[in-house]
Amino acid sequence: GAIYTHTFAQQTILPGPFTDNIKVWVTKVGDTQNDNDTSYKIVKLLANPVSLLPFNEGFETGSDSEYVLNSVGLNGLDNFDFVTNSARGRARTFVNSGFEHSGTKALTLDQTPSNPVSTSDSLILTNNLSAYSVANNQLRVDFFYKNNGQDNLGANKVWIRGSDTDVWLPAYDLYANQGDIGQYKAAKAININDIFSAAVPSQNVTSSFQVKFGEEGYTSSNSPDPLGDIDDGYTFDDIKISEALNDIGVAKIISPSNSGCGLNATTPVSIRIKNYNNAILNNVQVGYRINNGAAVIENIPVLNPNEVLDFTFATTADMSAFIDYDVDVWVNHPTDNYANNDSILGYSLHNSPLISSFPYLEGFEASNGNWYTKGVNSSWEWGTPAKTIINKAANGSKAWVTNLTGNYKNSELSYLYSPCFDISGLTQPVLSFSHIHQLEDDCDCDYHWVDYSNDGGLTWQKLGANGSGTNWYDNATYQRWQLSNTKWEVSSIDIPSISSTVRFRFVLNSDPGVNYEGVGIDDIHIFDKAPIYTGIDVVVPPQNVSGSNWIDFNIGGNRVVSINPNGQDLGSTSVKVYFNTGPVRVSNNQYYLDRNIVIQPSNQPTSNVSVRYFFTDAEANLLINATGCPSCSTIHDAYDAGITKFSGNVAEENGTLADNVTGFYNFIAPPNVDVIPYDNGYYCEYNVNSFSEFWIDSGGTGGLSPLPVTLSDFEAKKDNEKAKLTWSTAQEFNSDKFLIERSGNGVDFITIGEVKAKGNANVESSYEFTDLTTLAGTNYYRLKLFDKTGQSTYSIVRQLNFDKNNLDIKIFPNPVTTGKITVNTSEECKQIELLNISGQRLKIFKTSASSNNIDIGKLPAGIYQLKIFTTANTRTVKINVE
């Protein structure tokens, strides 16, 4: 059980450089388990000649190798070591065509296999710079690197140190400066002198000067244009260490800021210049140009030794248009041999309005709102969507959509960028917007999310997390939207506390496979938070309402109603809110919202007053998904909401329809109602010139009917050869008449009678009509209800059969608006066949009952036939699919 360490007496130091396998072994008579008797180790002695600059490395001498373990001296690349912190780190000197910047080789750092948790690795370059010093030589590091889809992770940086025992010093942020996905970026002019001199303690170059290239990510780099979180890693090529003589350089562009916020026609152009020499330089030329236009050339008479100068050109730039700008700046002196820091080329920005007035609401009707798009294979378009699912804007006619008429693209990583927002004046800012999306649900392949930047777009952070807002991200692992939601709805998130200017961007990421209609964005709304009230029935303390501003009615900081009197004096105004806690309510063949409001001013207006009626997303979903009344209509999404308004005496304005007798109803149709996304729900904004009870409903099948007329039932019964029709209404307001219509085929109806309505009643009213001239075969009956304004709506359809064989068939609903119908027969049914209008059989339903619920599925609109078999009879009836 003992452990023994043995040191050999003879230790031979072999001449180097070399790479050898060392073999050691142990023997003992009687040892029958020999598998652990021998061990091997690779020992390298690497050459370390003094490097005479410039040093250039393009990885062309490296073998096609893959490294997953820590390796000192890569094959054919003695100056490089690979260091990984996990079993997932990897370095490859060859991936596939297109990864190299020049020649045929490059080196890629990435992680494999894919994992939701990031890991990191690094490539270390060691170079013997003992012939140089920071006191006597100006030393620089340059390289090119390719962004294969990196996130903002801590190890995506470059460090340097003077020797292999010194502390690593940060030299370059790879993520903050990286190019677009799949694009190389020149990382120019890492100034060794400046970094080492600023360090505490300071450092100097030695025989083991080192540069460390770091990479942290989630998965591998596999294609020239990898996508976001799907493909990660950096590829490095053309690394150079050089000595700069008589060097002057452009350190940064001070103005214009690459945030591109609120630039104008006289934007100053300012740059920071440094003289790295211990001598004066005279007549230094500086220049700039915008979008490859005419160059502006100016002169600096004297640049003192080691001077850092912030220089502003006398000639300003016109950058007032809200477009992309590429700015090139440069400095020139004939004695400067190091050109890599002489210029900054392709400094890109997009000028956008700087918005500081809130609330901000952009519906994209008049223009694209100065939102713009960039990225790889971007499909974002502004206009009128015309697709199967995304077939409208949330409000109005226009929105931002990934392809207005088709699907988003394969291998897309695209961005929809916002203008600039100064939100410093907001206490608790909220971002809400109208949102619809159809993506690849059955795999984690295509997805989208929202980023924000508060440093002018240099770095971006994901906004919010799964569950942190309203309808915010459904993928908790990666924090993004993955699953489809094919109805327009609100999405909202609280904006982090930001004291500076902020920008947002919507990001769509797709794989090279299947694609769908994608994403629609409308009604961008930024405002100070006041959540929608969700408590019990309550009377909000009255306020005086006058002037031309919005006046908010809140309970405990939660919003109920807002009123803009538009210059009128409504006096002391009370607001009440009522909630329904039971099943979604029904009136006039339509469902209506579980919340309604009452507004009662002291002074009635003489012209239009604007109202904002707030309701939650949860309440909207209950209304959208309401069931239990087959003949009733509801809203498709929250943006289809209309407003029923009742004006009566104060006692009747109490949150219920049942006692509204003395007043009048009207309906504010959806085109006249703006539904705006707001925090945990929406508000309906509309104009009225009187008050006070308001409900949200669909307007019925025609989208124009207020709530009050309620048809309780409608029945048809045979009375020998006559048809007796009976119906009743639960309540009536301004109803006019009922037309009785009959059809022999269920499609073509004619009027056969008229019954006068009672007009106004808050109790049940009963009616009847007898058809004395019935048709042979099946008779279809329906009622057409008119109010006193001439608006009308239809009842459900009833059937009676007057065939001699006396088989009575009732089918409902007919017309068919869903995939399921009920077939009742006066005899036991044996089989039901679904036929098209030409008589071709589509489906067969076996049965042995007189009442059958059958699912005919989703059919195109049109006329179909049901062929019904009983023991004694066979009948064919028509159905109308809408």
Side-chain angles (χ1 to χ4, degrees):
I3 295 174
Y4 173 74
T5 300
H6 180 76
T7 301
F8 289 91
Q10 180 180 358
Q11 301 181 44
T12 302
I13 305 299
L14 301 177
F18 66 80
T19 299
D20 278 343
N21 286 320
I22 306 299
K23 175 182 177 182
V24 299
W25 64 93
V26 61
T27 60
K28 179 70 173 70
V29 175
D31 181 358
T32 59
Q33 171 62 304
N34 303 124
D35 289 348
N36 62 354
D37 290 357
T38 306
S39 184
Y40 298 86
K41 188 171 186 178
I42 298 175
V43 178
K44 294 182 180 181
L45 180 61
L46 300 176
N48 189 30
V50 174
S51 179
L52 297 179
L53 301 180
F55 166 85
N56 293 284
E57 181 57 74
F59 300 103
E60 298 303 307
T61 60
S63 63
D64 295 349
S65 301
E66 178 176 303
Y67 304 89
V68 294
L69 299 175
N70 290 339
S71 300
V72 178
L74 306 186
N75 297 330
L77 299 165
D78 280 0
N79 290 74
F80 290 90
D81 307 332
F82 173 66
V83 178
T84 180
N85 294 320
S86 74
R88 294 180 51 238
R90 177 173 63 175
R92 289 179 287 173
T93 51
F94 183 80
V95 181
N96 61 26
S97 178
F99 265 72
E100 68 281 349
H101 176 256
S102 66
T104 61
K105 299 281 183 64
L107 192 142
T108 299
L109 294 177
D110 60 8
Q111 310 294 317
T112 187
S114 179
N115 194 290
V117 178
S118 67
T119 51
S120 62
D121 52 30
S122 57
L123 176 72
I124 297 178
L125 164 63
T126 304
N127 208 277
N128 186 343
L129 297 185
S130 59
Y132 302 88
S133 71
V134 295
N136 299 315
N137 308 98
Q138 286 290 325
L139 304 175
R140 308 286 186 265
V141 177
D142 302 279
F143 61 92
F144 288 85
Y145 72 109
K146 184 182 191 180
N147 170 23
N148 298 322
Q150 285 298 110
D151 276 348
N152 187 13
L153 301 170
N156 292 322
K157 294 181 173 62
V158 175
W159 296 263
I160 62 174
R161 62 181 177 179
S163 75
D164 55 9
T165 61
D166 284 336
V167 175
W168 286 110
L169 303 175
Y172 191 84
D173 190 322
L174 293 168
Y175 175 81
N177 295 285
Q178 68 191 20
D180 291 335
I181 298 292
Q183 301 298 313
Y184 265 100
K185 176 74 176 287
K188 298 191 299 183
I190 293 178
N191 192 308
I192 298 172
N193 300 67
D194 285 354
I195 295 172
F196 282 3
S197 298
V200 180
S202 61
Q203 296 185 21
N204 195 8
V205 292
T206 69
S207 60
S208 59
F209 167 77
Q210 291 184 320
V211 183
K212 179 167 71 171
F213 302 87
E215 186 272 335
E216 181 176 356
Y218 301 99
T219 187
S220 64
S221 303
N222 293 319
S223 65
D225 293 308
L227 303 170
D229 289 346
I230 293 177
D231 292 298
D232 290 321
Y234 285 122
T235 301
F236 300 92
D237 203 358
D238 298 323
I239 300 171
K240 182 178 182 180
I241 304 175
S242 57
E243 180 184 9
L245 302 176
N246 298 317
D247 185 30
I248 54 174
V250 180
K252 65 180 294 187
I253 296 178
I254 300 170
S255 174
S257 166
N258 63 355
S259 65
C261 297
L263 305 180
N264 55 43
T266 56
T267 299
V269 178
S270 301
I271 60 176
R272 179 165 295 163
I273 301 167
K274 183 173 181 180
N275 178 7
Y276 294 99
N277 298 279
N278 294 323
I280 294 175
L281 295 176
N282 297 313
N283 297 318
V284 177
Q285 185 188 84
V286 290
Y288 79 85
R289 64 185 169 203
I290 308 293
N291 287 347
N292 289 318
V296 175
I297 306 295
E298 295 184 9
N299 188 70
I300 301 173
V302 176
L303 201 56
N304 292 316
N306 301 306
E307 180 180 5
V308 176
L309 174 66
D310 290 346
F311 177 81
T312 300
F313 289 86
T315 303
T316 59
D318 184 354
M319 306 181 80
S320 56
F322 299 133
I323 60 173
D324 289 334
Y325 291 97
D326 283 330
V327 182
D328 299 334
V329 299
W330 61 89
V331 61
N332 181 47
H333 195 273
T335 63
D336 182 358
N337 81 325
Y338 181 74
N340 283 5
N341 62 355
D342 288 356
S343 62
I344 297 176
L345 305 179
Y347 175 86
S348 298
L349 58 94
H350 184 100
N351 185 33
S352 295
L354 177 58
I355 295 165
S356 57
S357 178
F358 297 94
Y360 167 85
L361 179 61
E362 178 56 71
F364 304 114
E365 291 305 299
S367 70
N368 62 16
N370 289 308
W371 288 63
Y372 63 98
T373 181
K374 291 184 179 295
V376 178
N377 292 332
S378 176
S379 63
W380 287 99
E381 294 181 302
W382 165 70
T384 302
K387 304 194 271 193
T388 302
I389 292 173
I390 308 179
N391 54 24
K392 65 167 188 171
N395 281 297
S397 63
K398 294 180 180 179
W400 273 100
V401 180
T402 52
N403 194 338
L404 291 171
T405 58
N407 294 348
Y408 54 83
K409 298 177 182 178
N410 289 324
S411 301
E412 179 169 348
L413 181 61
S414 58
Y415 307 95
L416 175 63
Y417 288 90
S418 77
C420 307
F421 299 99
D422 178 3
I423 60 174
S424 59
L426 298 180
T427 303
Q428 192 174 359
V430 178
L431 169 66
S432 296
F433 56 92
S434 302
H435 193 195
I436 188 172
H437 44 101
Q438 185 200 28
L439 301 172
E440 195 171 355
D441 290 341
D442 55 356
C443 71
D444 185 17
C445 302
D446 302 340
Y447 42 86
H448 66 294
W449 68 90
V450 182
D451 285 339
Y452 74 97
S453 173
N454 60 350
D455 61 3
L458 287 176
T459 58
W460 292 89
Q461 302 177 62
K462 196 165 287 184
L463 180 60
N466 169 250
S468 62
T470 299
N471 299 322
W472 202 261
Y473 300 156
D474 53 59
N475 187 312
T477 302
Y478 295 106
Q479 305 301 326
R480 60 206 185 194
W481 288 289
Q482 177 190 338
L483 302 177
S484 298
N485 178 63
T486 55
K487 288 183 172 64
W488 284 100
E489 69 175 6
V490 60
S491 288
S492 292
I493 194 72
D494 291 352
I495 302 171
S497 179
I498 297 170
S499 59
S500 58
T501 300
V502 64
R503 269 188 141 152
F504 303 98
R505 68 181 186 185
F506 292 89
V507 188
L508 173 68
N509 198 166
S510 71
D511 68 1
V514 178
N515 49 32
Y516 291 92
E517 291 192 13
V519 183
I521 303 296
D522 202 359
D523 309 313
I524 308 292
H525 193 194
I526 299 175
F527 54 95
D528 233 341
K529 189 178 186 72
I532 298 169
Y533 174 70
T534 56
I536 60 175
D537 296 356
V538 72
V539 178
V540 185
Q543 296 185 65
N544 187 66
V545 176
S546 63
S548 299
N549 296 318
W550 287 99
I551 297 171
D552 301 321
F553 287 77
N554 297 336
I555 291 290
N558 297 325
R559 189 67 41 86
V560 177
V561 167
S562 297
I563 303 172
N564 188 335
N566 296 324
Q568 302 174 78
D569 182 6
L570 303 185
S572 180
T573 301
S574 69
V575 168
K576 306 170 186 177
V577 60
Y578 298 91
F579 297 95
N580 168 53
T581 57
V584 178
R585 299 164 295 182
V586 176
S587 178
N588 197 9
N589 287 326
Q590 54 182 314
Y591 298 101
Y592 59 103
L593 194 74
D594 283 340
R595 165 198 302 250
N596 74 282
I597 60 171
V598 173
I599 301 175
Q600 294 172 329
S602 298
N603 308 319
Q604 286 292 333
T606 57
S607 61
N608 277 342
V609 172
S610 299
V611 176
R612 289 177 177 169
Y613 175 161
F614 292 80
F615 60 103
T616 67
D617 180 59
E619 292 165 346
N621 287 331
L622 286 174
L623 180 58
I624 292 167
N625 299 314
T627 59
C629 178
S631 63
C632 291
S633 66
T634 189
I635 57 176
H636 173 75
D637 57 40
Y639 303 89
D640 285 339
I643 303 291
T644 287
K645 171 181 172 292
F646 172 76
S647 295
N649 63 50
V650 172
E652 293 173 351
E653 296 171 353
N654 57 5
T656 179
L657 293 168
D659 59 358
N660 293 348
V661 176
T662 61
F664 297 93
Y665 281 86
N666 67 5
F667 183 69
I668 305 171
N672 299 318
V673 178
D674 290 329
V675 181
I676 305 302
Y678 180 90
D679 197 47
N680 53 329
Y682 313 83
Y683 63 74
C684 286
E685 183 172 332
Y686 51 93
N687 292 325
V688 293
N689 54 23
S690 63
F691 288 100
S692 84
E693 280 187 303
F694 300 97
W695 291 266
I696 290 176
D697 57 304
S698 68
T701 55
L704 295 171
S705 300
L707 290 171
V709 177
T710 302
L711 191 65
S712 298
D713 59 81
F714 172 45
E715 297 293 337
K717 295 182 179 180
K718 293 170 64 174
D719 183 8
N720 294 319
E721 296 301 314
K722 297 179 290 185
K724 186 175 182 179
L725 311 179
T726 60
W727 66 96
S728 61
T729 59
Q731 53 190 352
E732 289 182 39
F733 301 95
N734 300 320
S735 58
D736 184 34
K737 61 185 176 181
F738 301 87
L739 297 185
I740 296 87
E741 297 185 349
R742 184 184 67 200
S743 170
N745 58 13
V747 178
D748 304 310
F749 284 86
I750 61 171
T751 301
I752 61 170
E754 176 179 332
V755 173
K756 189 68 177 176
K758 295 182 179 179
N760 289 289
N762 62 356
V763 296
E764 184 174 290
S765 301
S766 299
Y767 300 88
E768 67 177 40
F769 177 84
T770 300
D771 181 11
L772 302 176
T773 59
T774 58
L775 305 174
T778 302
N779 289 245
Y780 301 85
Y781 296 95
R782 71 183 184 188
L783 302 176
K784 189 174 185 180
L785 294 71
F786 283 87
D787 65 17
K788 292 181 179 179
T789 68
Q791 297 176 0
S792 64
T793 186
Y794 288 99
S795 72
I796 59 176
V797 176
R798 297 300 191 191
Q799 303 176 41
L800 291 176
N801 187 276
F802 289 91
D803 270 359
K804 293 181 180 180
N805 59 26
N806 205 32
L807 175 61
D808 191 10
I809 301 173
K810 293 184 179 180
I811 298 174
F812 57 91
N814 189 17
V816 182
T817 56
T818 67
K820 294 182 179 180
I821 59 175
T822 299
V823 180
N824 290 338
T825 56
S826 57
E827 301 173 9
E828 182 179 284
C829 187
K830 299 299 183 182
Q831 181 172 299
I832 301 173
E833 295 179 357
L834 175 65
L835 313 175
N836 64 18
I837 195 62
S838 301
Q840 295 175 313
R841 189 164 62 190
L842 304 179
K843 288 185 178 182
I844 297 176
F845 306 93
K846 297 290 186 180
T847 180
S848 59
S850 59
S851 180
N852 296 279
N853 295 315
I854 63 174
D855 189 351
I856 62 174
K858 294 183 179 180
L859 296 174
I863 305 300
Y864 295 81
Q865 304 177 80
L866 289 179
K867 192 171 185 180
I868 300 169
F869 299 85
T870 68
T871 302
N873 294 288
T874 300
R875 287 282 310 283
T876 300
V877 295
K878 292 182 180 180
I879 60 173
N880 184 13
V881 176
E882 294 183 341

